Amino acid sequence: MNHKINPEGLPMMIQHDKTGYGISETVSKKKKEVQLPKNLICFSHLRWDFVFQRPQHLLTRFCQHFTIQFFEEPVFDTEVPYLSHVQKTPNLTVTVPHLVPGMSEDDVIKAQAALLDEFLAEKDLTDYAFWYYTPMALMFSHHYVPSMTIYDCMDELAAFKFAPTQLQILEKELLKRADIVFTGGHSLYKAKKDKHHNIYPFPSSIDKAHFGKARGEITPPQDQVNIPHPRLGFYGVIDERFDIDLIEQVARQRPDWHLVMIGPVVKIDPAMLPRLDNIHYLGGKSYDELPGYLAGWDIALVPFQLNESTRFISPTKTPEYLSAGKPVISTPIQDVVNPYGEEGLVHIVSNAEEFIAAAEEVLFSSTIDKENWLKRVDCFLSENSWDATVDSMISRIKDCFDK
């Protein structure tokens, strides 16, 4: 493979054979040592400091293998375009394009392309791979042919609110260019598997040591300590996927239950959120703070609507809640139903009545064997970790160079 600029913007493609399915398969073939590119340039639609989720979990671990440049989407706050850089770890730098307010769409693309050209020239980067979270980044990076192109398709972005109209077309192009594709869950894999020759599902994983803190002695957060029990909690982004009506119905029907909502509100009007005395919006919290909040909950929630934007999601919070030892109630999101619901680890509900019945069973039933449930949870999660996910991804990436 080469990594020089291709004037036509057409990548040199490599043919690979698909031999596995996600992290569950053990690759038995003995491999020679493969030299990976030194640098990984990641293009993301998510900001590094927004919510600590899949990109952060993966890339902080990929730092052991690459020097990473994490390119965010631009901000419009300057008279002259430039790039700012913040080093997050010794091997990971977050880079933000600063552009001029009021620029046309074409000028935004040209400015980002010019900034990327300058960056690669100044850094004298020749041995690098591209990692895409958003196909939109092809609009300013298409003229490069890196040593490898990786697409981590964590969501069906085209189904999200305010998705750009070009997204589906650009994803088709990215799938042509990509040497390897990862998906954020099994439902998304099934939807994409016939669109690429070298694609693998890597569903949400966990940092068990981090969330396991919620099972022990931990200082309660000050803004939650005076909220009465029972507490039913959610953390994550509160957006168009969030089932506002379900939360409101439960809160109204059980005014003595307290619902704790943690996370930023985006893409919806905050005025749409129900404002009841027993619903507590505590805002966004850092990743380090989450176990402290979880420790004080009686039940953890995955209250998403069933629509196009949630059809293929694999909520990372599901195994995190379980790792914290908390009972979980979820709407029937496919990647929660299978495997967590089918294994009897999570309560799956479709409406407020089922939600209340499941919560009452958790809170008040004397027949639930919570100790046995927790043992089954721990057994199910025993092989699940971000470290194992990254090890398997690296193995798949090396396979591409070993062909």
Side-chain angles (χ1 to χ4, degrees), residues 56-356:
Q56 291 86 346
H57 281 296
L58 293 177
L59 295 177
T60 52
R61 290 165 172 83
F62 267 89
C63 285
Q64 300 173 35
H65 305 275
F66 304 93
T67 297
I68 298 175
Q69 301 288 335
F70 185 87
F71 270 75
E72 294 187 350
E73 292 186 333
V75 296
F76 297 87
D77 61 355
T78 185
E79 296 181 358
V80 179
Y82 72 97
L83 294 176
S84 65
H85 309 279
V86 177
Q87 192 164 344
K88 294 296 183 178
T89 75
N91 280 345
L92 192 148
T93 302
V94 173
T95 297
V96 182
H98 295 257
L99 303 183
V100 181
M103 295 178 78
S104 69
E105 184 176 333
D106 285 346
D107 287 341
V108 168
I109 295 166
K110 291 176 182 177
Q112 288 183 91
L115 290 171
L116 179 61
D117 292 346
E118 292 173 13
F119 173 82
L120 291 173
E122 288 174 5
K123 294 290 185 180
D124 194 26
L125 291 186
T126 56
D127 186 19
Y128 60 87
F130 279 175
W131 177 296
Y132 289 88
Y133 276 109
T134 172
M136 297 300 293
L138 274 179
M139 298 181 78
F140 60 85
S141 63
H142 65 87
H143 54 298
Y144 283 93
V145 183
S147 60
M148 170 171 279
T149 296
I150 303 162
Y151 179 27
D152 187 19
C153 181
M154 63 179 286
D155 286 306
E156 186 64 273
L157 295 179
F160 281 25
K161 195 172 184 178
F162 306 129
T165 55
Q166 314 98 310
L167 191 56
Q168 288 180 314
I169 295 172
L170 289 168
E171 185 181 63
K172 289 180 182 178
E173 178 61 25
L174 181 54
L175 288 168
K176 292 178 184 177
R177 292 169 175 256
D179 297 289
I180 189 167
V181 177
F182 304 131
T183 67
H186 289 285
S187 293
L188 196 52
Y189 168 79
K190 291 176 183 177
K192 304 285 185 183
K193 66 179 181 178
D194 294 329
K195 299 180 180 181
H196 198 271
H197 58 277
N198 196 31
I199 182 170
Y200 305 96
F202 284 92
S204 301
S205 195
I206 46 173
D207 180 346
K208 286 192 283 286
H210 182 68
F211 288 96
K213 296 174 186 175
R215 300 191 187 191
E217 293 296 323
I218 193 167
T219 303
Q222 285 301 305
D223 56 351
Q224 181 173 271
V225 70
N226 292 323
I227 297 175
H229 288 270
R231 293 184 195 142
L232 292 75
F234 164 88
Y235 65 70
V237 179
I238 300 173
D239 57 16
E240 78 274 17
R241 299 170 296 174
F242 192 77
D243 197 333
I244 297 170
D245 292 338
L246 176 64
I247 293 300
E248 180 172 11
Q249 289 178 51
V250 172
R252 289 190 182 281
Q253 294 182 44
R254 291 295 183 272
D256 55 331
W257 294 1
H258 289 263
L259 287 80
V260 179
M261 305 288 110
I262 290 175
V265 179
V266 301
K267 295 194 286 185
I268 61 171
D269 183 355
M272 294 172 56
L273 299 176
R275 303 289 174 174
L276 301 172
D277 289 344
N278 61 332
I279 303 179
H280 309 268
Y281 300 99
L282 303 187
K285 305 298 177 184
S286 72
Y287 182 70
D288 288 342
E289 293 176 293
L290 294 180
Y293 287 92
L294 265 170
W297 296 351
D298 300 289
I299 298 173
L301 309 179
V302 185
F304 289 126
Q305 299 183 58
L306 298 186
N307 55 35
E308 282 302 307
S309 64
T310 61
R311 183 180 174 190
F312 301 114
I313 64 172
S314 177
T316 305
K317 59 183 60 60
T318 311
E320 291 174 348
Y321 289 162
L322 293 172
S323 188
K326 296 300 173 181
V328 179
I329 297 177
S330 174
T331 50
I333 300 300
Q334 186 55 47
D335 279 11
V336 180
V337 173
N338 181 14
Y340 301 103
E342 292 180 359
E343 292 289 335
L345 305 179
V346 168
H347 296 267
I348 305 297
V349 302
S350 297
N351 52 50
E353 289 68 31
E354 292 179 6
F355 183 111
I356 290 169

